[in-house]
């Protein structure tokens, strides 16, 4: 990396509001400088408390739009909606993708739910989202991305996430089944670029987060991803990066979630593992060595 290159790094803690234990861990990470930004699930079981925590600690906060897990915010969509199953909950990470591929989703319902989530975010936080991305990357899915982009434009939300990771193909530690999903996410994200750009929406120059999620988050893997992201810069240029993270204390089975209880990933050791890595002094030393400035979306 050129010594003249200025690198700004946004470290986003996703799933804020999912459960109290998650929220405690995210606040701890923010207060120790391990993350710089949070992304709120407004249909999460502790969303209101999380919004209060963000206010108390002056945490930069955006909306983690959710169309795949738990209950819709819009109560009208919990019955007779293409977004939910017979129990009135979202179709799941792969379920929404299958329904979309089969042409079963009504896009006006997608727009209705996204608008409802923006409205609730404003009610909970007292502000407009500083950025808005998609839980389980649903915001870059075909047809949904057009609705998503229009909602961002209408609400004056300037930033989103485009999950295309430089060097992902070199990450041979990722299991093939997971890599297949990541490749589909990247393809959808690449096809979203012109749609987002046409609405004046921005995003950091570089995204990191697929190769460093859960058990795959190590100081070495983050360092490697940062180096891949900045290995061929233009002299004197400025680069912005978002590192997507999921830190927190593991959920317990009786507490949390978005209306159905916490999922397996939320209850696993991997959340705590991410938190420990993000606070590791070696990681922060590597930021300094690379001339990386930690910031929030509002600082880009």
């Amino acid at each position: 990396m050129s010594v003249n290159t200025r690198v700004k790094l946004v470290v986003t803690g996703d799933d804020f509001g999912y459960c109290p234990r998650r929220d405690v861990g995210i606040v701890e990470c923010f207060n120790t400088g391990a993350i710089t930004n949070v992304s709120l699930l407004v249909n999460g079981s502790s969303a209101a408390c999380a919004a209060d925590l963000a206010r108390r600690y002056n945490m930069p906060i955006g909306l983690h739009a959710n169309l795949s897990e738990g209950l819709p915010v819009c109560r009208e969509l919990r019955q007779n909606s293409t977004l939910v199953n017979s129990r009135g909950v979202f179709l799941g990470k792969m379920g929404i993708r299958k329904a979309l591929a089969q042409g079963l989703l009504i896009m006006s319902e997608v727009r209705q739910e996204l608008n409802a989530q923006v409205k609730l975010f404003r009610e909970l936080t007292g502000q407009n989202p500083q950025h808005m991305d998609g839980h389980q990357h649903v915001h870059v899915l075909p047809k949904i991305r057009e609705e998503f982009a229009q909602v961002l434009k209408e609400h004056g939300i300037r930033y989103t996430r485009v999950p295309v990771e430089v060097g992902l193909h070199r990450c041979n530690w990722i299991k093939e089944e997971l890599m297949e999903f990541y490749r589909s996410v990247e393809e959808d994200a690449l096809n979203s670029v012109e749609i987002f750009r046409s609405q004046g929406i921005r995003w950091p120059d570089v995204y990191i987060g697929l190769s460093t999620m859960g058990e795959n988050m190590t100081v070495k893997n983050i360092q490697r991803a940062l180096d891949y992201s900045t290995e061929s810069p233009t002299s004197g240029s400025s680069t912005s990066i978002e590192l997507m993270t999921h830190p927190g204390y593991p959920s317990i089975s009786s507490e949390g979630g978005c209306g159905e209880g916490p999922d397996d990933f939320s209850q696993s050791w991997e959340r705590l593992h991410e938190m420990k890595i993000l606070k590791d002094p070696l990681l922060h030393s590597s930021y300094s060595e690379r001339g990386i400035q930690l910031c929030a979306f509002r600082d880009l």
Side-chain angles (χ1 to χ4, degrees):
M1 184 179 73
S2 167
V3 294
N4 294 320
T5 302
R6 299 181 302 279
V7 180
K8 290 186 174 183
L9 176 64
V10 178
V11 185
T12 304
D14 278 359
D15 302 342
F16 198 42
Y18 193 86
C19 78
R21 287 175 58 80
R22 171 79 49 76
D23 299 342
V24 168
I26 287 176
V27 170
E28 186 176 310
C29 282
F30 178 78
N31 286 337
T32 56
I35 64 172
T36 62
N37 214 88
V38 296
S39 199
L40 179 68
L41 280 166
V42 293
N43 73 333
S45 65
S46 60
C49 292
D52 288 341
L53 288 169
R55 246 189 316 270
R56 184 186 311 169
Y57 294 103
N58 194 27
M59 303 169 73
I61 188 167
L63 173 58
H64 202 44
N66 185 2
L67 299 173
S68 57
E69 182 180 357
L71 294 166
V73 165
C74 181
R75 293 185 176 274
E76 296 173 15
L77 297 176
R78 296 181 186 179
Q79 296 180 343
N80 301 318
S81 164
T82 62
L83 298 181
V84 300
N85 61 21
S86 59
R87 295 181 289 110
V89 297
F90 287 130
L91 303 172
K93 179 174 76 173
M94 302 312 296
I96 189 173
R97 287 167 165 83
K98 181 178 180 181
L100 187 63
Q102 295 174 341
L104 300 178
L105 298 187
I106 296 175
M107 289 303 114
S108 61
E109 294 179 349
V110 169
R111 175 87 67 94
Q112 186 177 356
E113 177 61 19
L114 290 175
N115 278 320
Q117 292 191 20
V118 173
K119 181 176 183 289
L120 181 55
F121 179 96
R122 287 173 173 159
E123 292 172 356
L124 291 174
T125 67
Q127 62 179 280
N128 211 37
Q130 296 178 12
H131 62 95
M132 179 170 162
D133 54 49
H135 185 49
Q136 299 171 336
H137 308 294
V138 296
H139 67 299
V140 296
L141 290 173
K143 297 187 178 180
I144 290 177
R145 55 196 175 216
E146 285 86 355
E147 302 298 329
F148 186 86
Q150 192 61 39
V151 168
L152 264 65
K153 180 182 180 181
E154 290 174 357
H155 291 284
I157 303 169
R158 296 175 57 202
Y159 282 97
T160 191
R161 172 184 292 164
V162 176
V164 178
E165 184 167 339
V166 179
L168 182 67
H169 64 285
R170 307 185 209 179
C171 302
N172 56 13
W173 59 85
I174 299 175
K175 297 174 183 176
E176 182 54 36
E177 181 180 349
L178 191 56
M179 182 64 86
E180 184 178 348
F181 175 69
Y182 289 168
R183 290 192 192 106
S184 71
V185 168
E186 289 206 325
E187 181 180 358
D188 288 332
L190 286 169
N191 289 329
S192 301
V193 165
E194 288 307 317
I195 293 165
F196 292 161
R197 186 173 288 143
S198 70
Q199 301 295 347
I201 299 163
R202 301 171 61 188
W203 53 92
D205 301 316
V206 177
Y207 163 86
I208 298 171
L210 299 178
S211 69
T212 58
M213 187 168 173
E215 65 178 348
N216 292 324
M217 181 176 283
T218 64
V219 171
K220 183 178 180 180
N221 284 350
I222 294 176
Q223 290 172 333
R224 182 188 287 114
L226 289 169
D227 290 341
Y228 286 160
S229 301
T230 56
E231 62 187 0
S232 300
T234 301
S235 180
S237 66
S238 178
T239 300
S240 58
I241 303 173
E242 183 191 13
L243 172 59
M244 176 191 76
T245 72
H246 300 82
Y249 292 99
S251 304
I252 56 176
S253 60
S254 60
E255 188 176 65
C258 300
E260 300 176 278
D263 62 15
D264 291 341
F265 181 38
S266 181
Q267 296 177 73
S268 76
W269 59 270
E270 293 180 84
R271 301 285 184 167
L272 183 60
H273 171 73
E274 286 201 23
M275 190 165 71
K276 290 178 178 177
I277 295 298
L278 290 167
K279 294 195 294 183
D280 193 320
L282 287 175
L283 179 61
H284 290 263
S285 294
S286 71
Y287 293 155
S288 298
E289 291 166 4
R290 289 163 172 77
I292 292 173
Q293 174 190 346
L294 295 182
C295 69
F297 275 96
R298 66 190 181 193
D299 304 314
L300 296 180

